[in-house]
């Protein structure tokens, strides 16, 4: 089932997700819905907060994106990114490393709003998969950026918080408009 994507201005986007303790059939169904929603929205990542639940869960899929490459290392060895996709990350712990690089970002909760965000170019990830098994890897390129963006969501942090000053200044009127629209819709409910 494709779920409605929460837009900026909804307070759930600022809520830190609680840790997942058990894999229930309800959670497994929710993960499947998140994949469907991400695909239907043509996103490369989706956090649980964006579809209405404040829990430590995100899905990521960078397949088919050729203009912005991704890298993935398993125990120091470069692996095939595509065969590792799509990814489910539950209760993720990140250790970013490498130089900070500026790159464009968007977000399904901010339609039509884009801006440059500086982030470390690599990140070590430890998380649980959809079966609750712990796994770890290192990501680079677009995948490293997507993971950091999504895990920020799980902690109530949004890409506009990290946007460079010039991008933020340019986007501010649209951000304000979106926030007002969302708040108006929520109070009408
Ligand atoms: Zn986002």
């Amino acid at each position: 089932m494709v779920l409605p994507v929460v837009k900026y201005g909804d307070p759930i986007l600022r809520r830190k997700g609680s840790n997942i303790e058990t894999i229930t059939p309800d959670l497994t169904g929710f993960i499947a819905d998140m994949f469907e929603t991400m695909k239907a929205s043509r996103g490369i990542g989706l956090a649980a907060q964006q579809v209405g639940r404040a829990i430590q869960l995100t899905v990521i899929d960078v397949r088919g994106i050729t203009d912005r490459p991704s890298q993935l290392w398993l125990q120091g060895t470069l692996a095939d990114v595509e065969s590792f996709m799509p990814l489910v990350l539950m209760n993720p712990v990140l250790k970013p490393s490498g130089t900070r690089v500026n790159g464009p970002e968007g977000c399904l909760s901010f339609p039509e709003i884009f801006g440059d965000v500086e982030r470390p170019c690599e990140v070590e990830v430890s998380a649980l998969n959809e079966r609750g098994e712990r796994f770890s890897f290192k990501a680079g390129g677009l995948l490293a950026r997507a993971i950091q963006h999504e895990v920020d969501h799980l902690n109530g942090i949004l890409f506009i918080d990290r946007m460079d000053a010039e991008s933020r200044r340019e986007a501010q009127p649209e951000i304000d408009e979106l926030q007002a629209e969302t708040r108006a819709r929520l109070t009408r409910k």
Side-chain angles (χ1 to χ4, degrees), residues 126-151:
S126 171
L128 304 180
N129 66 14
E130 65 276 22
R131 292 179 298 278
E133 301 154 347
R134 174 128 336 242
F135 70 117
S136 54
F137 62 94
K138 186 173 167 182
L142 180 64
L143 180 60
R145 178 171 293 280
I147 290 170
Q148 292 176 81
H149 176 117
E150 297 310 326
V151 173

Side-chain angles (χ1 to χ4, degrees), residues 144-162:
R145 178 171 293 280
I147 290 170
Q148 292 176 81
H149 176 117
E150 297 310 326
V151 173
D152 271 351
H153 272 297
L154 304 186
N155 294 306
I157 299 165
L158 300 170
F159 83 130
I160 56 169
D161 306 341
R162 301 194 189 275

Side-chain angles (χ1 to χ4, degrees), residues 55-103:
I55 55 175
Q56 293 285 321
L57 166 66
T58 177
V59 295
I60 289 168
D61 193 350
V62 295
R63 278 179 297 188
I65 304 202
T66 47
D67 55 336
R68 300 173 74 190
S70 294
Q71 297 85 40
L72 191 151
W73 294 268
L74 290 173
Q75 282 149 2
T77 306
L78 202 56
D80 176 41
V81 176
E82 302 256 324
S83 64
F84 226 68
M85 298 292 126
L87 273 175
V88 174
L89 303 177
M90 295 194 311
N91 304 350
V93 179
L94 301 189
K95 204 158 81 173
S97 61
T99 53
R100 298 177 66 86
V101 287
N102 218 10

